[in-house]
Short mmCIF file of all heavy atoms in Angstrom, two decimals:
data_model
loop_
_atom_site.label_atom_id
_atom_site.label_comp_id
_atom_site.label_asym_id
_atom_site.label_seq_id
_atom_site.Cartn_x
_atom_site.Cartn_y
_atom_site.Cartn_z
N LEU A 1589 88.14 -45.37 -36.15
CA LEU A 1589 88.83 -44.41 -37.02
C LEU A 1589 90.02 -43.81 -36.28
O LEU A 1589 91.09 -43.60 -36.91
CB LEU A 1589 87.86 -43.28 -37.42
CG LEU A 1589 86.94 -43.58 -38.57
CD1 LEU A 1589 85.97 -42.44 -38.77
CD2 LEU A 1589 87.71 -43.78 -39.87
N GLU A 1590 89.86 -43.51 -35.06
CA GLU A 1590 90.95 -42.94 -34.30
C GLU A 1590 92.13 -43.95 -34.17
O GLU A 1590 93.29 -43.59 -34.33
CB GLU A 1590 90.51 -42.50 -32.91
CG GLU A 1590 89.73 -41.21 -32.92
CD GLU A 1590 89.24 -40.82 -31.53
OE1 GLU A 1590 89.54 -41.49 -30.53
OE2 GLU A 1590 88.51 -39.81 -31.46
N THR A 1591 91.69 -45.20 -33.85
CA THR A 1591 92.77 -46.21 -33.76
C THR A 1591 93.43 -46.43 -35.10
O THR A 1591 94.64 -46.58 -35.18
CB THR A 1591 92.21 -47.56 -33.24
OG1 THR A 1591 91.14 -47.96 -33.99
CG2 THR A 1591 91.90 -47.50 -31.79
N GLU A 1592 92.62 -46.41 -36.17
CA GLU A 1592 93.21 -46.55 -37.51
C GLU A 1592 94.05 -45.34 -37.84
O GLU A 1592 95.12 -45.47 -38.46
CB GLU A 1592 92.14 -46.81 -38.55
CG GLU A 1592 91.72 -48.27 -38.57
CD GLU A 1592 90.91 -48.59 -39.78
OE1 GLU A 1592 91.14 -48.02 -40.87
OE2 GLU A 1592 90.01 -49.41 -39.62
N ALA A 1593 93.54 -44.18 -37.46
CA ALA A 1593 94.31 -42.98 -37.72
C ALA A 1593 95.61 -43.02 -36.94
O ALA A 1593 96.66 -42.64 -37.46
CB ALA A 1593 93.50 -41.75 -37.36
N ARG A 1594 95.61 -43.49 -35.73
CA ARG A 1594 96.81 -43.61 -34.94
C ARG A 1594 97.74 -44.67 -35.55
O ARG A 1594 98.96 -44.48 -35.63
CB ARG A 1594 96.50 -44.04 -33.51
CG ARG A 1594 96.17 -42.88 -32.65
CD ARG A 1594 96.07 -43.34 -31.20
NE ARG A 1594 94.89 -42.74 -30.62
CZ ARG A 1594 94.14 -43.25 -29.70
NH1 ARG A 1594 94.40 -44.43 -29.24
NH2 ARG A 1594 93.11 -42.61 -29.25
N PHE A 1595 97.03 -45.71 -35.93
CA PHE A 1595 97.82 -46.79 -36.55
C PHE A 1595 98.50 -46.27 -37.83
O PHE A 1595 99.68 -46.54 -38.05
CB PHE A 1595 96.89 -47.98 -36.83
CG PHE A 1595 97.60 -49.14 -37.41
CD1 PHE A 1595 98.49 -49.90 -36.63
CD2 PHE A 1595 97.46 -49.47 -38.76
CE1 PHE A 1595 99.14 -50.98 -37.20
CE2 PHE A 1595 98.11 -50.55 -39.31
CZ PHE A 1595 98.96 -51.32 -38.52
N LEU A 1596 97.74 -45.54 -38.63
CA LEU A 1596 98.30 -44.98 -39.84
C LEU A 1596 99.37 -43.94 -39.52
O LEU A 1596 100.38 -43.86 -40.21
CB LEU A 1596 97.20 -44.32 -40.68
CG LEU A 1596 96.30 -45.25 -41.49
CD1 LEU A 1596 95.20 -44.48 -42.16
CD2 LEU A 1596 97.12 -45.99 -42.54
N MET A 1597 99.13 -43.18 -38.54
CA MET A 1597 100.13 -42.20 -38.12
C MET A 1597 101.39 -42.91 -37.63
O MET A 1597 102.50 -42.46 -37.95
CB MET A 1597 99.60 -41.34 -36.99
CG MET A 1597 98.61 -40.36 -37.43
SD MET A 1597 99.52 -38.98 -38.01
CE MET A 1597 98.98 -37.77 -36.95
N GLN A 1598 101.19 -43.95 -36.93
CA GLN A 1598 102.35 -44.69 -36.43
C GLN A 1598 103.08 -45.29 -37.63
O GLN A 1598 104.31 -45.31 -37.68
CB GLN A 1598 101.96 -45.78 -35.46
CG GLN A 1598 101.58 -45.27 -34.11
CD GLN A 1598 101.05 -46.38 -33.20
OE1 GLN A 1598 100.89 -47.53 -33.64
NE2 GLN A 1598 100.82 -46.03 -31.97
N GLU A 1599 102.31 -45.75 -38.55
CA GLU A 1599 102.93 -46.34 -39.74
C GLU A 1599 103.65 -45.26 -40.52
O GLU A 1599 104.72 -45.51 -41.05
CB GLU A 1599 101.89 -47.02 -40.58
CG GLU A 1599 101.42 -48.25 -39.93
CD GLU A 1599 101.47 -49.41 -40.89
OE1 GLU A 1599 101.82 -49.32 -42.06
OE2 GLU A 1599 101.11 -50.43 -40.38
N LYS A 1600 103.02 -44.12 -40.63
CA LYS A 1600 103.68 -43.01 -41.32
C LYS A 1600 104.95 -42.62 -40.59
O LYS A 1600 105.97 -42.37 -41.21
CB LYS A 1600 102.75 -41.81 -41.42
CG LYS A 1600 101.97 -41.73 -42.64
CD LYS A 1600 101.26 -40.39 -42.62
CE LYS A 1600 100.29 -40.26 -43.71
NZ LYS A 1600 99.59 -39.05 -43.73
#
Side-chain angles (χ1 to χ4, degrees):
L1589 278 174
E1590 283 177 4
T1591 53
E1592 278 193 34
R1594 276 189 224 147
F1595 182 71
L1596 281 175
M1597 285 276 242
Q1598 285 175 354
E1599 287 230 359
K1600 265 187 189 180

